[in-house]
Structure formats: structure tokens, C-alpha cells
């Protein structure tokens, strides 16, 4: 499909134009005026919330959700894309008789509000409320039909009260706990930094100081408790992109292996290690523990090594970039030895940061011959003289590429260094080693997950306070449910330095212990904003509930979300945490999963649509490759911009929008300039939802032309006949049948796009083709078939281009139907397609004359074997005139069931 057709003059029928638009052929359509008109009317009488469609009894439920935004105060193109998609889907569903939930809210806690407070002295609450108002206004500009009666903001006490409630439920279930963990510490400002506040060089965004690692007591949710369910249930998500499912699987990272116990020589402890390669047990030449391992203790370490080991570990804590440390192969000998359970040799125990404290047992068996990291470590620290290769390739490469100058990390055959396992294949040996280890008691099967528990506490102000009280005698005491919410004090001072402002609010921090009534202190950590956003889709089912997070029946009837639309950047954490909390709430009996969707497993999202990014047109100087500011560019020829100073053509690429590239597009400007409908169509047309959308203002004009054409088609329709009286197929003229078939085909395709594939781009191009067919056909405008085609076209456009569709509908029906709100295009039933109408009723019959193919004639399917009729039709066509004329036919030979006829003259 190209826009070429749209740039041609529109073949509409001037004679049939309604008087009101008689002059629009010359003057362009005033989209702004039409939009304003409908915006006003819909505000007075919202088409979806009035009239018969609002009768929700007996209607199936449908829950369309787009990821709610952070209220930054500025809608960007990515938002516009995702909300246009969800609005289109929800309008389509309503017109198909669903009781739709399409809510919107605000992911309103988080760092930027605090930064604004520090930089501009505006209170986070005030800043957030302001931004919400601005963005809501912008959403309305885009004609996004959200159900604002369901609006919520996560920073509102009426919402975070229930976030706190859920925290306490998790706490009671043993799924929220506290332990020490490392945070980013700014030594100058004496404050904890979020990861986003640390730049690539490991420096604080504010003070510029090198960030240190500091251990603090932190709150965690035990997501790992659900690891198996979270992994296994991915298989049930039939309507999720494969890529996202793979990312989830990988994040959970299930690994099966063996846990071995190595007795420590100088005491009666054991060191446990987790390995995925028990077949390499004979290759173990040392052990390595993580810097956080409990063996790192001056009472355990041999005196002559304690000091060196402890200072090595302490130095690591100062390392700014832990990833770098993990990559480095630094390590020291702890002075401890363990006994190899099979060879009884004494092997040294090292400590090194490449061993992670939170994976497996926080200790590894060092097999330098068969593990790259172990090999590197062994080399770097001169751990052994000779590396023991205990596995070799099952087929020795002839080119001798198997050398012992590098580790052999694949599975293979065990060598003679492997004792009784010599000659076994790795797989076999793994089983045999495990069996023996279990018998002798030095090993057992183990499963590990890469997934970690969720560190949710933040040393920040602008978040939901963790509802916990610390009492000197009762220790950790949950805030009683009836005392929720623990509200955030609003009038705080922000300096950006020192501990979180909450810790300085004496009146707030000091409280009574709910258990012993003694003096106690509130927890000053707040929750990660991911907590707020992992349950908001449940709250939307019942956002005003003041006794529970949501009502059992309401949630059960709405969950899971039928379709969830959002950015792929949330493919891991947000979705994983939402799955976790949704499963948890189901286990708590807070709602019931409907069996016909995703049975009984608490999966929150049925269909997941991950939309691609919107890239901006980026102009660079061809010589210097410098990004060009708009004022440095000569746009006389929009498609071929030139560098103003040199006159050379700029380089054009499409890149992620960013201030430094001068390629950002403000959706509000676009809408004001181009109109809402054209902008929405353009977004949907330029790329399938999951792909990158290359934003280019210059092609919106094609959509405007098309919308003008649709409106003119509506004006061309003058019939006062009942549009529902479509004549039977066999009484239609051929032209009518053609249009009728195209209409039904389009209905079928567009319906499929809106229901299954979400390929709005192809839906729009199908609709453009339909409008071209209608305008190009000669079916009389009073024909019910013509009317039906135009009505269907307008109804199908309406979810994507609401105001022009509504305007066209009004034009179309003003003579026949009362102008009540029921006459809104959104109150119309979605057109249905009829299999009968799709059948192609003419066949192109190939005509040969004296054995040579000369022409084809369309023959009604019913006449396929009627040679006389075919001859008659052939002679009537211009080509037939030329080749057959009036000459008599001696013999007719029919082939291919009448699809080919050879006339012998
Ligand atoms: C010995 C060995 C020999 C290993 C060999 C691998 C290859 P996956 O598969 O991802 O689960 N490992 C175990 N705990 C670790 C920790 N806390 N920090 C860093 N590495 C750790 O990885 C399991 C493998 O990762 C384990 O198997 C262990 O190295 C290492 F030829 O043990 B292996
Ligand atoms: Zn107490």
C-alpha cells in the first residue's frame, strides 16, 4: 500500500454532496473544529457510558490495561503509542458488546519528585499532583477514553494503605524479612544512592564522589519461594511474546546440580559448594568462598592468615564498581584447608569476589581444567602447578585443537585421573558420582535459582512507608492493620544529604510499641516503587474499597487482565513481581482465578502486547557527524533536509529520542498541528505494535488526506433506504457484488487484527483499500450495498480515529436517524462478515483462439460449464471483438472445468 493513491484527486460524486460540505472540495477540512465539536459533545454525553451499550448485565467482561505512567509532567511519544493502542482495543471491544474496564492511574512515587524537591524546593506531593493534572489534560487531548472513575495514584494514602496491608500479609506469611545487604553509599553526602544515581564511572550524581558499598539492614520479599511456580507457569502464557517468556525463564534461571560437603581440616565444620558439574569432582584443586561467607571470621581463620584475609575483604567493600571486582580474578588464601571427599587430599580454601554470596552456597569447588573462571583465577593467583584434566573430548579433534593450554568446558569422557569413573561419559559420571556421594554422605542433589529475593527497602522519602515499628524489647513489630495507613509526613526538608528526611522527623519516627506500649521507633525505609506497581491492576477492579485492597467478587470477575500493553523494558522485573504478588494474593484467597482463562494459577495477564520504542528522525552533519539542531537545518525540502551552513544533505537516521540528539517530538505539538485522529492513525499505521516506530511528521499528511476522503464518502451517501435491507446475493449487480465482497473481506481482516494479531497497520491499509474500492466503483450511491460498505468503513475506523468517524457517522445518518446519542458511531454494533459474501462469484476464464491464449473473461461461477454463455460473454468483451469478431466457431474445447476454453474458428 502506498500513499500515491491518496494524493490523487478524490473521485467523489459532486452531485451527491450534502449541501453543508459542498465547498469542502476546495477548502481543506478543519480537523481541529471537528475534534472540538465532538470533544464537547462526548463530555456532555459520553457515548460509551450512555444508552444501550452501558447495560452491563449479561455482557462478558473485558479488561484492557496499558502500563500506567510515572507522572513526570510530560507525555512522551512512547506513552501516546501505548495508550492509542489500548484505546483502540477497548473501543473495539465495547462495540462488540463487552463490558470493558479501561482504567488509568499514576505510578506516582519515586525519585524524580525528590530530586525536584532538592533542586527546586517544591514538595514532592505538590509536584506530583501538578504533573498528574498536566498529563491527564494531555491524555484527554488525545481522546483517550479512560474510565476516570477508576483513577488511582500510588502516592495517595488511600492506595498505599493497601500496599502496606499487602506488605503485612507477606510479613505474616513469612515472605517479608530483613537481612543485611549492600547499598551504594555516597561518602560525601553521607547518603544512600539508588543505582540510577550512580554514573558509569561509579560516581554520585550529586557530589561526584566515588560511591562505596555499605552494608545495611534491608527488607526483602521472598520471591524465591515462588520460583518454581513462576517458572513452570510461563508455559501457560500462550499469548505472551516468546522473547519475554525467555527473558523471564532466564531471569529465574533454574539450574540442577549437586551440593557437595567438604570437611574443613582444622575444625569440624563443612564447606558446602554447589556445582552443575559433579562429574568434575576429581578435578577439584581448591575451594573458593565469597567475601561475605561466614567462614570469613577472625575466630575461624588461622591467626597467621586472618589479618591479610580480613583486610582483603574490607578493601573490597570500598570498591566502587562491584561488577569490576567480580570480573577481576583477585583472591587470597584463607589459611584454611578442606579434605577432598574422594582423594582425601588437603585442598586450600581461597576467598575471591568472583564467587557470589547469594548464589548456591556462596562457595565453589575450583576446577581449573573445566571452568573458565576457575582457570583464570588459578592462573592469576598461582594456585596450583599442574592443572588436572579429568574430562576430555569424546572425539579427539584430528587437527589437535584439543590442547591443555585452555580449559575444556564441555562435557566429554572421564580420564584416568577420575578414579573408578574413568571412561564414563560426563552424563553417566554425574549420576554415578551423585549416587556415591549420597551413599557416603558427602553430597546430595540440589536445585538453584538465579532469581534472588526482592530487595524492596529504599532509604528514600517519596515511597510507601514500610509499616513496621522497632521496639527495644519486642524488636520488630508490624503496625496493626487498623492503624494503617502509616502516612508520610508532608512538610519535610530536603537537602539531598545525610539520611532520608524521614529519619529526621522526630515526631514521626518516635512512636509507641503496639505490643508493650513502650517507646519505639518507626521503620524509616520506604518501599521500592515496583511494589506499588505490582498490584495496581488488582486495585483497578475495585479502586474505592476502604475495607480491603479489593473485593473478592469484583476482582474475581475481572482478573486476569485480558490484554496488557506496555514497553518491553518492563519485560522482566515489573512482570515478574506482578506475577509474584498476583499469585500470592490468589493463595491468600483474595480472589479467584477464572477457569476459562488461565486456570487457578494467579497469572495476572492473559495477552501481553509489548510495544516497541518510538524513534525520532535524527539529523547529522555528513562531515562532522554532529547532531544538528533544528535551527541549523534548511527544511525547504522536508524529505531532503540540508545543513544550512554548507548546503550539504544531512545524514538521516532514526534513533531513540533524546535531548542531546535534538530528535524529540512533543506529542502535544503534533496533535495541535496535525489533529488527534491523523496522529493516532499515523502511530498505528507506521509499524506493527511490537516494532520500532520511526516517527516522521512528514507522512502524517497521508492520513489526513485519507480521513478527508472518508468524510467525503460519507457525504456521498444519500440513500434514505433502510441500510439493513441488503438484497440477496444473487440479485446484486456484479459491481455491487464486488463491493460487497471487498467490504466483507475487510470486515473479516480488520476484526481479526483487532482481536488476534493487533496488526493495526494492516487493518488500516485494508481500510484504505476498501475506501479506494468504494470510491472507484460505479455502484449507485443509493444502493444499500454502497451504504453498507460506507457504514462498515466508518464503524471500523472509529476505534482508531474517533472524531472523524463520529463526524462521518453524523453526516451519513442525519437524514435517516434521529440525532440522539444512540446515533453515536460508538453505539453501533461492529459489522459482521458473512462467509457467503466472501465467495468469489466470478471466475476468470482463459479464452484461446485456435489454441493460442488471447484473452480472459470474468464468468459468473454458475455459468462455468455453459460454453454458449462463455462464447457470448467473450464476444461481448473488447478483446473478444478483436479475436473472435463475428466469425463462426467450428468447435469449442473446454478444459479445467470450464476455466479454459479453446475456440477453433
Ligand atoms: C564446578 C564446576 C566445574 C562448575 C565445571 C562449572 C563447570 P549454573 O549452571 O549457572 O547454576 N558457582 C556455583 N556457585 C557459585 C557462586 N556462588 N558464585 C559463582 N559461581 C558459582 O552455574 C553453576 C556453576 O557455577 C557451578 O558449577 C559453580 O562452578 C559455579 F567444569 O562447579 B561449577
Ligand atoms: Zn515493645
Amino acid at each position: 500500500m502506498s500513499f500515491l493513491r491518496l494524493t490523487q484527486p478524490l473521485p467523489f460524486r459532486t452531485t451527491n454532496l450534502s449541501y453543508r460540505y459542498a465547498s469542502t472540495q476546495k477548502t481543506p477540512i478543519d480537523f481541529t473544529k471537528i475534534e472540538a465539536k465532538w470533544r464537547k459533545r462526548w463530555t456532555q454525553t459520553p457515548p460509551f457510558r450512555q444508552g444501550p451499550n452501558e447495560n452491563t448485565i449479561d455482557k462478558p467482561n473485558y479488561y484492557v490495561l496499558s502500563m500506567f505512567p510515572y507522572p513526570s509532567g510530560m507525555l512522551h511519544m512512547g506513552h501516546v503509542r501505548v495508550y492509542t493502542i489500548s484505546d483502540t482495543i477497548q473501543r473495539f471491544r465495547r462495540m462488540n458488546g463487552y463490558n470493558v474496564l479501561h482504567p488509568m492511574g499514576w505510578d506516582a512515587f519515586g525519585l524524580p519528585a525528590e530530586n525536584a524537591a532538592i533542586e527546586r524546593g517544591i514538595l514532592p506531593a505538590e509536584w506530583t499532583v501538578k504533573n498528574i493534572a498536566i498529563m491527564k489534560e494531555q491524555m484527554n487531548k488525545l481522546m483517550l477514553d479512560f474510565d476516570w472513575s477508576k483513577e488511582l495514584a500510588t502516592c495517595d494514602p488511600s492506595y498505599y494503605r493497601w500496599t502496606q496491608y499487602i506488605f503485612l500479609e507477606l510479613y505474616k506469611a513469612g515472605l517479608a524479612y530483613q537481612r543485611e545487604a549492600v547499598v551504594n553509599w555516597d561518602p560525601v553526602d553521607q547518603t544512600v544512592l539508588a543505582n540510577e544515581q550512580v554514573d558509569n564511572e561509579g560516581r554520585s550524581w550529586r557530589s561526584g564522589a566515588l560511591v562505596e558499598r555499605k552494608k545495611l539492614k534491608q527488607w526483602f520479599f521472598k520471591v524465591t519461594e515462588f520460583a518454581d511456580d513462576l517458572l513452570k507457569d510461563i508455559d501457560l502464557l500462550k499469548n505472551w511474546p516468546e522473547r519475554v517468556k525467555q527473558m523471564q525463564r532466564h531471569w529465574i534461571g533454574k539450574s540442577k546440580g549437586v551440593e557437595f560437603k567438604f570437611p574443613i581440616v582444622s575444625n569440624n565444620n563443612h564447606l558446602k559448594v554447589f556445582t552443575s558439574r559433579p562429574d568434575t569432582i576429581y578435578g577439584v584443586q581448591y575451594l573458593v568462598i565469597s567475601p561475605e561467607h561466614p567462614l570469613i571470621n577472625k575466630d575461624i581463620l588461622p591467626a597467621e592468615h586472618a589479618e591479610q584475609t580480613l583486610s582483603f575483604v574490607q578493601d573490597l567493600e570500598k570498591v566502587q564498581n562491584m561488577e569490576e571486582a567480580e570480573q577481576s580474578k583477585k583472591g587470597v588464601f584463607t589459611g584454611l584447608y578442606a579434605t577432598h571427599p574422594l582423594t582425601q587430599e588437603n585442598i586450600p580454601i581461597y576467598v575471591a569476589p568472583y564467587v557470589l554470596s547469594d548464589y548456591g552456597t556462596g562457595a565453589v569447588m575450583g576446577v581449573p581444567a573445566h571452568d573458565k573462571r576457575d582457570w583464570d583465577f588459578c592462573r592469576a593467583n598461582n594456585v596450583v602447578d599442574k592443572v588436572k584434566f579429568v574430562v576430555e573430548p569424546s572425539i579427539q579433534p584430528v587437527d589437535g585443537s584439543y590442547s591443555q593450554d585452555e580449559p575444556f568446558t564441555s562435557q566429554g569422557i572421564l580420564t584416568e585421573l577420575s578414579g573408578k569413573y574413568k571412561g564414563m561419559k560426563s552424563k553417566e559420571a554425574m549420576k554415578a558420582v551423585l549416587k556415591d556421594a549420597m551413599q557416603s554422605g558427602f553430597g546430595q542433589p540440589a536445585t538453584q535459582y538465579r532469581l534472588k529475593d526482592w530487595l524492596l527497602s529504599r532509604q528514600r522519602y517519596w515511597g510507601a512507608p514500610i509499616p513496621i515499628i522497632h521496639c527495644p524489647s519486642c524488636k520488630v513489630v508490624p503496625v496493626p492493620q487498623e492503624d494503617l495507613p502509616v502516612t508520610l509526613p508532608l512538610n519535610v526538608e530536603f537537602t539531598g544529604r545525610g539520611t532520608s528526611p524521614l529519619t529526621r522527623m522526630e515526631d514521626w519516627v518516635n512512636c509507641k510499641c503496639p505490643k508493650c506500649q513502650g517507646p519505639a521507633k518507626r521503620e524509616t525505609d520506604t518501599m521500592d516503587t515496583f511494589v506499588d506497581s505490582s498490584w495496581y491492576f488488582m486495585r483497578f477492579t475495585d479502586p474505592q474499597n476502604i475495607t480491603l485492597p479489593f473485593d473478592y467478587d469484583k476482582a474475581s470477575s475481572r482478573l486476569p487482565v485480558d490484554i496488557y500493553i506496555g514497553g518491553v523494558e518492563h519485560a522482566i522485573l515489573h512482570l515478574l513481581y506482578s506475577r509474584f504478588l498476583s499469585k500470592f494474593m490468589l493463595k491468600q484467597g483474595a480472589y479467584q482465578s477464572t477457569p476459562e482463562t488461565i486456570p487457578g494459577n494467579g497469572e495476572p495477564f492473559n495477552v501481553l502486547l509489548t510495544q516497541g520504542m518510538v524513534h525520532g528522525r535524527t539529523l547529522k552533519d555528513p562531515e562532522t557527524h554532529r547532531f544538528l539542531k533544528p535551527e541549523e537545518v534548511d527544511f525547504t525540502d522536508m524529505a531532503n533536509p540540508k545543513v544550512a551552513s554548507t548546503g550539504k544533505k544531512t545524514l538521516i537516521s532514526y534513533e531513540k529520542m533524546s535531548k542531546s540528539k535534538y530528535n524529540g517530538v512533543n506529542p502535544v505539538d503534533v496533535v495541535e498541528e496535525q489533529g488527534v485522529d491523523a496522529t493516532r492513525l499515523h502511530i498505528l499505521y507506521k509499524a506493527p505494535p511490537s516494532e520500532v516506530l520511526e516517527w516522521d511528521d512528514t507522512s502524517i499528511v497521508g492520513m489526513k488526506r485519507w480521513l478527508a476522503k472518508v468524510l467525503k464518502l460519507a457525504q456521498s451517501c444519500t440513500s434514505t433506504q433502510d441500510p439493513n435491507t441488503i438484497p440477496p446475493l444473487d440479485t446484486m449487480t456484479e459491481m455491487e457484488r464486488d463491493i460487497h465482497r471487498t467490504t466483507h473481506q475487510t470486515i473479516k481482516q480488520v476484526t481479526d487484527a483487532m482481536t488476534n494479531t493487533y496488526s493495526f497497520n494492516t487493518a488500516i491499509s485494508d481500510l484504505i483499500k476498501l475506501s479506494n474500492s468504494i470510491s472507484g466503483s460505479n455502484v449507485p450511491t443509493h444502493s444499500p450495498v454502497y451504504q453498507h460498505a460506507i457504514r462498515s468503513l466508518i464503524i471500523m475506523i472509529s476505534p482508531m480515529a474517533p472524531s472523524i468517524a463520529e463526524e462521518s457517522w453524523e453526516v451519513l445518518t442525519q437524514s435517516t436517524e434521529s440525532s440522539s446519542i444512540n446515533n453515536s458511531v460508538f453505539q453501533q454494533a461492529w459489522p459482521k462478515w458473512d462467509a457467503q459474501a466472501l465467495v468469489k462469484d466470478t471466475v476468470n476464464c482463459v479464452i484461446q483462439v485456435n489454441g493460442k491464449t488471447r484473452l480472459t473473461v470474468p464468468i459468473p461461477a454458475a455459468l462455468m460449464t455453459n460454453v454458449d454463455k462463455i462464447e457470448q460473454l467473450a464476444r461481448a468483451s473488447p478483446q473478444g471483438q478483436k479475436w473472435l469478431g463475428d466469425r463462426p466457431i467450428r468447435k469449442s474445447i473446454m478444459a479445467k472445468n470450464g476455466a479454459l476454453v479453446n475456440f477453433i474458428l
Side-chain angles (χ1 to χ4, degrees):
M1 166 58 222
S2 84
F3 279 117
L4 264 185
R5 299 229 24 194
L6 298 181
T7 59
Q8 290 159 7
L10 298 166
F12 64 87
R13 298 162 181 73
T14 27
T15 46
N16 286 339
L17 272 185
S18 101
Y19 69 96
R20 280 173 47 207
Y21 287 95
S23 62
T24 51
Q25 195 184 2
K26 280 170 221 107
T27 44
I29 289 168
D30 190 345
F31 289 100
T32 320
K33 206 167 142 196
I34 294 175
E35 271 166 26
K37 165 180 161 188
W38 289 106
R39 199 189 298 284
K40 195 167 152 213
R41 282 239 201 127
W42 290 329
T43 319
Q44 285 157 357
T45 32
F48 281 130
R49 281 170 255 292
Q50 303 275 323
N53 273 5
E54 201 40 26
N55 177 7
T56 57
I57 307 162
D58 295 338
K59 281 180 163 187
N61 280 338
Y62 199 84
Y63 185 176
V64 186
L65 184 65
S66 35
M67 290 181 183
F68 67 163
Y70 177 79
S72 61
M74 173 85 194
L75 220 54
H76 59 66
M77 235 37 215
H79 292 128
V80 178
R81 188 174 191 195
V82 63
Y83 303 139
T84 302
I85 293 171
S86 80
D87 190 40
T88 297
I89 297 173
Q90 72 97 14
R91 285 173 192 263
F92 166 78
R93 286 287 169 172
R94 283 181 200 271
M95 296 169 82
N96 277 275
Y98 286 85
N99 177 28
V100 168
L101 174 61
H102 184 226
M104 184 40 69
W106 313 96
D107 189 11
F109 272 138
L111 210 50
E114 273 181 76
N115 292 345
I118 297 167
E119 282 159 20
R120 284 182 270 154
I122 177 168
L123 287 178
E126 210 179 299
W127 186 78
T128 308
V129 168
K130 237 187 216 160
N131 287 348
I132 288 177
I134 296 170
M135 286 173 84
K136 199 168 164 179
E137 173 69 33
Q138 293 177 344
M139 286 182 180
N140 286 330
K141 275 206 174 116
L142 283 153
M143 296 193 177
L144 300 169
D145 179 47
F146 292 116
D147 182 350
W148 291 111
S149 73
K150 303 281 196 299
E151 182 180 3
L152 58 82
T154 57
C155 66
D156 191 319
S158 70
Y159 182 86
Y160 69 69
R161 167 181 186 178
W162 303 111
T163 310
Q164 293 172 335
Y165 172 100
I166 292 171
F167 176 96
L168 293 175
E169 291 285 294
L170 286 158
Y171 182 77
K172 279 186 236 153
L175 294 172
Y177 67 94
Q178 234 184 338
R179 73 167 152 86
E180 286 218 314
V182 172
V183 295
N184 303 310
W185 180 253
D186 178 336
V188 171
D189 282 350
Q190 295 281 303
T191 191
V192 175
L193 299 176
N195 286 339
E196 312 87 84
Q197 294 174 313
V198 182
D199 69 16
N200 296 338
E201 289 168 20
R203 289 179 185 276
S204 160
W205 68 299
R206 236 179 88 78
S207 70
L210 281 175
V211 170
E212 293 177 3
R213 292 155 44 81
K214 190 170 170 165
K215 269 192 197 165
L216 285 181
K217 254 200 165 171
Q218 305 273 313
W219 284 96
F220 288 85
F221 285 154
K222 218 177 198 169
V223 193
T224 51
E225 184 93 1
F226 284 58
D228 245 338
D229 282 349
L230 288 169
L231 180 67
K232 162 171 82 40
D233 293 348
I234 293 173
D235 295 340
L236 302 168
L237 303 171
K238 302 274 180 261
N239 302 310
W240 279 37
E242 207 41 56
R243 193 162 69 99
V244 174
K245 290 197 274 187
Q246 262 329 96
M247 286 159 92
Q248 293 265 313
R249 285 192 191 101
H250 184 250
W251 193 261
I252 297 167
K254 185 175 181 167
S255 167
K256 280 189 176 164
V258 175
E259 195 177 283
F260 285 127
K261 276 200 308 199
F262 287 77
I264 294 172
V265 172
S266 49
N267 59 38
N268 6 340
N269 280 332
H270 292 274
L271 179 58
K272 287 183 182 164
V273 301
F274 171 73
T275 178
S276 52
R277 290 291 304 274
D279 56 319
T280 63
I281 180 90
Y282 269 98
V284 180
Q285 296 183 282
Y286 55 90
L287 302 173
V288 192
I289 57 177
S290 73
E292 285 88 14
H293 199 278
L295 280 180
I296 305 293
N297 181 317
K298 74 173 188 316
D299 298 335
I300 297 175
L301 297 170
E304 66 279 18
H305 283 90
E307 200 183 319
Q308 189 203 349
T309 309
L310 291 170
S311 79
F312 172 75
V313 170
Q314 268 158 19
D315 286 349
L316 280 177
E317 278 170 20
K318 292 209 188 82
V319 170
Q320 307 87 38
N321 188 336
M322 203 49 197
E323 238 160 74
E324 218 167 79
E326 281 161 17
Q327 296 300 323
S328 94
K329 295 299 169 232
K330 272 195 295 188
V332 294
F333 176 48
T334 60
L336 294 167
Y337 286 92
T339 312
H340 191 292
L342 291 177
T343 66
Q344 310 305 325
E345 282 166 333
N346 277 353
I347 50 177
I349 302 178
Y350 281 73
V351 55
Y354 87 92
V355 178
L356 311 172
S357 59
D358 49 8
Y359 188 71
T361 61
V364 302
M365 55 186 221
V367 185
H370 302 294
D371 183 276
K372 177 86 171 72
R373 290 163 302 175
D374 293 345
W375 172 276
D376 294 342
F377 177 77
C378 187
R379 281 283 167 106
N381 298 282
N382 287 320
V383 182
V384 293
D385 300 334
K386 186 152 172 43
V387 170
K388 270 176 83 178
F389 280 80
V390 296
V391 182
E392 61 187 15
S394 33
I395 305 163
Q396 299 276 338
V398 274
D399 63 356
S401 66
Y402 168 59
S403 82
Q404 299 199 341
D405 297 338
E406 54 182 12
F408 173 66
T409 57
S410 311
Q411 298 188 9
I413 305 273
L414 275 70
T415 68
E416 68 272 0
L417 293 179
S418 287
K420 69 182 236 207
Y421 308 108
K422 177 193 167 193
M424 283 187 188
K425 285 187 179 151
S426 285
K427 281 257 153 53
E428 217 183 321
M430 288 190 203
K431 283 192 197 128
V433 170
L434 174 59
K435 198 169 150 228
D436 293 346
M438 284 168 77
Q439 247 159 32
S440 326
F442 68 86
Q444 57 180 57
T447 303
Q448 281 305 326
Y449 293 93
R450 212 174 77 87
L451 180 69
K452 291 175 191 160
D453 282 343
W454 174 6
L455 193 169
L456 69 108
S457 46
R458 296 287 180 271
Q459 293 70 45
R460 302 265 137 227
Y461 162 76
W462 195 233
I466 292 175
I468 290 287
I469 288 167
H470 299 278
C471 166
S473 31
C474 317
K475 307 296 170 212
V476 176
V477 185
V479 172
Q481 301 252 347
E482 59 274 20
D483 293 351
L484 296 183
V486 178
T487 45
L488 270 181
L490 289 182
N491 241 326
V492 281
E493 208 196 315
F494 291 89
T495 58
R497 280 178 212 94
T499 46
S500 142
L502 280 183
T503 59
R504 282 173 275 128
M505 304 292 289
E506 298 276 317
D507 288 356
W508 185 84
V509 173
N510 293 316
C511 62
K512 237 198 232 162
C513 167
K515 250 193 199 161
C516 71
Q517 310 303 319
K521 283 185 189 308
R522 286 194 190 282
E523 171 65 65
T524 54
D525 283 359
T526 55
M527 291 187 233
D528 176 7
T529 57
F530 271 113
V531 183
D532 311 326
S533 58
S534 355
W535 78 280
Y536 79 113
F537 52 91
M538 300 190 245
R539 180 71 178 173
F540 269 143
T541 65
D542 188 16
Q544 264 105 41
N545 200 321
I546 53 166
T547 56
L548 280 174
F550 46 84
D551 173 73
Y552 177 92
D553 289 327
K554 286 186 182 165
S556 305
S557 76
R558 281 295 185 187
L559 296 174
V561 172
D562 289 283
I563 182 165
Y564 194 32
I565 308 139
V568 76
E569 68 274 17
H570 292 302
I572 300 180
L573 291 184
H574 167 60
L575 293 178
L576 192 77
Y577 294 155
S578 299
R579 296 178 63 217
F580 166 67
L581 278 192
S582 149
K583 283 177 189 296
F584 171 70
M585 293 306 268
L586 182 76
K587 283 219 164 98
Q588 294 293 101
Y591 71 99
Q592 180 192 32
S593 231
T594 36
E596 64 270 22
T597 48
I598 309 174
N601 57 19
E603 281 298 330
F605 311 120
N606 188 11
V607 178
L608 178 72
L609 193 61
T610 47
Q611 118 269 11
M613 292 224 289
V614 183
H615 284 180
R617 194 161 88 139
T618 313
L619 304 179
K620 279 187 241 172
D621 188 308
E623 282 154 351
T624 61
H625 286 235
R626 199 171 54 81
F627 294 109
L628 294 166
K629 292 181 192 163
E631 58 268 28
E632 295 173 315
V633 181
D634 169 6
F635 284 111
T636 322
D637 177 359
M638 273 302 278
N640 296 299
K642 298 192 175 67
V643 185
S645 56
T646 62
K648 296 227 162 85
K649 266 194 198 172
T650 69
L651 298 177
I652 301 180
S653 56
Y654 288 87
E655 296 177 24
K656 190 178 165 174
M657 291 186 185
S658 115
K659 278 193 187 112
S660 59
K661 296 180 188 165
Y662 316 107
N663 63 350
V665 176
N666 180 355
V668 174
D669 295 345
V670 176
V671 161
E672 266 161 22
E673 219 166 281
Q674 311 288 350
V676 174
D677 285 11
T679 305
R680 288 173 57 126
L681 281 173
H682 185 62
I683 287 175
L684 296 172
Y685 181 70
K686 280 288 273 189
S690 56
E691 282 169 27
V692 165
L693 189 158
E694 298 190 338
W695 184 262
D696 192 346
D697 271 350
T698 53
S699 50
I700 294 193
V701 70
M703 282 301 151
K704 282 175 141 178
R705 288 205 192 100
W706 180 49
L707 287 172
K709 173 173 186 160
V710 170
L711 189 52
K712 281 167 190 171
L713 282 174
Q715 293 155 8
S716 73
C717 218
T718 53
S719 171
T720 50
Q721 286 181 32
D722 180 352
N724 298 316
T725 55
I726 301 281
L729 281 170
D730 50 4
T731 66
M732 286 183 192
T733 66
E734 223 171 277
M735 289 181 303
E736 282 179 327
R737 275 209 207 185
D738 264 353
I739 284 296
H740 197 60
R741 193 176 47 250
T742 311
T743 307
H744 280 261
Q745 225 154 37
T746 312
I747 296 172
K748 182 171 186 254
Q749 281 153 208
V750 173
T751 308
D752 186 52
M754 299 265 183
T755 321
N756 301 314
T757 62
Y758 307 106
S759 47
F760 306 104
N761 55 327
T762 59
I764 293 171
S765 84
D766 288 338
L767 289 165
I768 293 175
K769 277 184 210 151
L770 174 62
S771 59
N772 286 342
S773 301
I774 298 172
S775 61
S777 104
N778 289 320
V779 174
T781 58
H782 58 77
S783 157
V785 171
Y786 184 85
Q787 278 224 19
H788 173 254
I790 289 180
R791 283 178 171 247
S792 306
L793 173 72
I794 292 167
I795 295 174
M796 288 192 280
I797 288 171
S798 67
M800 303 185 274
S803 71
I804 291 297
E806 193 76 301
E807 178 74 11
S808 304
W809 191 258
E810 189 186 55
V811 169
L812 186 71
T813 55
Q814 60 191 353
S815 50
T816 51
E817 279 145 58
S818 66
S819 56
S820 74
I821 190 65
N822 289 350
N823 193 31
S824 164
V825 67
F826 298 107
Q827 288 291 322
Q828 308 309 311
W830 192 258
K832 302 234 171 323
W833 57 274
D834 169 13
Q836 277 287 302
L838 293 182
V839 177
K840 220 175 169 181
D841 47 11
T842 59
V843 177
N844 278 332
C845 181
V846 176
I847 307 288
Q848 296 185 335
V849 180
N850 293 335
K852 287 217 167 87
T853 300
R854 296 299 186 195
L855 60 140
T856 57
V857 239
I859 307 282
L863 301 177
M864 287 259 294
T865 49
N866 188 336
V867 185
D868 292 344
K869 199 76 190 172
I870 293 174
E871 183 191 331
Q872 195 187 328
L873 286 168
R875 283 191 197 273
S877 75
Q879 282 292 305
Q881 273 291 314
K882 177 172 170 202
W883 294 105
L884 294 169
D886 297 331
R887 280 169 284 174
I889 287 165
R890 244 190 332 122
K891 196 174 155 200
S892 321
I893 305 161
M894 189 178 289
K896 296 187 181 167
N897 292 324
L900 187 149
V901 182
N902 185 5
F903 294 117
I904 311 290
L905 302 181

